[in-house]
Amino acid sequence: MSIQNRDNLRKRTGGTVNSDATSPSDPVINAVAPKKVNDSSSTDYKSGTNWVHAGGIEANPYLFVLVVLSPFLSLLLAYATGGDIINNDWRVTHPLTEMLPACTSDVSACISNTLSAGMSVVPTMEGAKFVLTFMAVALVLERFLPGKIEVGPETATGHVPRYVDNGVAHCFVYSVLFFLGSNLGPCGDSSEQLLPALGDAFEKVGVCEYYTPYNFGIMYDAFESSLSFLNIFGIFLCMFLTYKGLCFPSTQDSGSSGSWVKDYLWGTELYPRVFGLDLKRFINCRFSMTYWQLAGFSFCYRSYVLHGNVMDWGLFFSALSQYLYLVKFFFWEMGYMRSIDIIVDRAGYEIQWGCLVWVPAVYTFHSRFLVQHPSGLSYGVALSLFVLSMAGVALNYAADRERDVFRASKGQCKVWGSKPRYITAKYMIVDPKTGTATQKTSLLLASGFWGMARHFQYFFELTAAYSWCFLANPMQNGVMVMFYALFLTGLLVDRSKRDTEKCQLKYGKYYNEYCELVPYKIVPGIY
């Protein structure tokens, strides 16, 4: 670091945010050329990309191949954890030592069986009904639960997204409703109710005469058909979003890259809304994260019943840890609305189909696998892995919270007992209608967790993810149960790279100065 940069850092450490205009010698960081644009939806594409190169996953050839194959792969993952797998010679618990050799010995039969397995996962009315009802409940809670108005980061076109911060209320209300509506709730058989006193109260007022509860294991029972329905629904939704972003976008952060493939995969709009509903938050959080949160316990119940009322402690503690992780997520939801998924990635196939289909298929795979193949872990081993996973969850939250407090106080706080180091980074936004350029500032924290690595919170998230997969006992159930953790590793490494590119475009020399202070991306001293 140069002497001048060190002087700049010392001036910024513990100081206030300087929003004054730059001096003539200060560079304009990623400023869009001031020019007039039409008021139509065909806004200048560069100004609507929010400081990123057009596109996301398609820039990574490995993830791009995964995206192309993902619809069929998601169906295979559903089949691999369904009840039919027990009656077929798929060797899912020994994929490397038995499945792969069997496949290479007869390639044509392997291909035929694989295609047949994937195509056997088809939508049904039961699956569609479950998905649509699940979404309808989430929509009602989204609309009517109260909350404080929060805002996301301002985009390069000057748009500031607004949200009702009711995620925590949604999390707990939805959990209670899911329990109450099931056979374990007050309208279930008296031998199955977890709270018989509540059942007596409901019986007195006659509520259960008009309502038939569903089985608490419904998320496993209807998984294959509901995922197939989601697959089709998600593909058509992304077609609609592509058209909407081109023809009637909700904000100026929109436009075409000139490639239909890229437009469909990455999206044509950053913040799409329909009848006032923020589609990205609804799909990414209120559907996807809620589905993941409740699925573990639903799978655990189905396993418990299927195996003669015997508790699989690996599955139980995995479900509990993931539930608590997602409680943490909803407490931090406004932080997520300021993350790369929301402020960089557009509402296209990669994010919206991914949250609708890939999250249920992959993020619950290790838990779903255990319904047919119990972990066999003892209470003590499972508890130890649970404690490790919760340490990852807690530290992940602590890191996110540290940055949120720093931002809210505009740097006027202590980090780990000392005044924080940070860079005051300047950047420009341009009004796409008038061409007026406005200078803004952001604070880049270089202390605490954020002084150890630029995305140290990812390390803690991976700690939790690997713990959940180890709770599926890969030593007994094979390497397939590690799929989620391995996928997440690749995803977060790619995300850290894309975030670096975005920040370099947005902040220029200021971000380079920050990288000198914090040279590692995820793991201090290693990467």
Side-chain angles (χ1 to χ4, degrees), residues 265-328:
L265 290 177
W266 193 52
T268 55
E269 188 175 5
L270 190 60
Y271 290 109
R273 289 179 177 258
V274 174
F275 300 115
L277 177 68
D278 186 294
L279 292 180
K280 286 180 79 173
R281 184 171 85 158
F282 181 76
I283 293 171
N284 295 23
C285 305
R286 303 311 168 86
F287 173 77
S288 180
M289 295 298 104
T290 306
Y291 187 101
W292 180 15
Q293 181 176 40
L294 298 175
F297 281 124
S298 182
F299 299 160
C300 189
Y301 175 78
R302 174 54 62 233
S303 171
Y304 180 78
V305 174
L306 181 64
H307 298 289
N309 296 344
V310 174
M311 180 63 72
D312 180 352
W313 291 114
L315 178 51
F316 172 79
F317 280 118
S318 178
L320 178 59
S321 179
Q322 289 171 87
Y323 184 90
L324 294 174
Y325 169 79
L326 289 157
V327 169
K328 185 274 302 182

Side-chain angles (χ1 to χ4, degrees), residues 53 59 73 79 82 112 161 171 182 261 293 321 332 335 375 386 408 450 507:
H53 296 296
L73 180 57
Y79 178 82
S112 176
C171 164
S182 75
V261 173
Q293 181 176 40
S321 179
W332 177 74
S375 70
F386 168 75
W450 302 92
Y507 300 122

Side-chain angles (χ1 to χ4, degrees), residues 234-248:
I235 289 172
F236 279 99
L237 174 66
C238 293
M239 291 180 182
F240 165 75
L241 290 173
T242 302
Y243 175 77
K244 179 187 179 302
L246 295 175
C247 299
F248 49 100

Side-chain angles (χ1 to χ4, degrees), residues 168-190:
V168 175
H170 163 90
C171 164
F172 289 115
V173 171
Y174 207 118
S175 297
V176 170
L177 292 177
F178 185 73
F179 163 73
L180 292 177
S182 75
N183 62 311
L184 302 182
C187 291
D189 187 272
S190 58

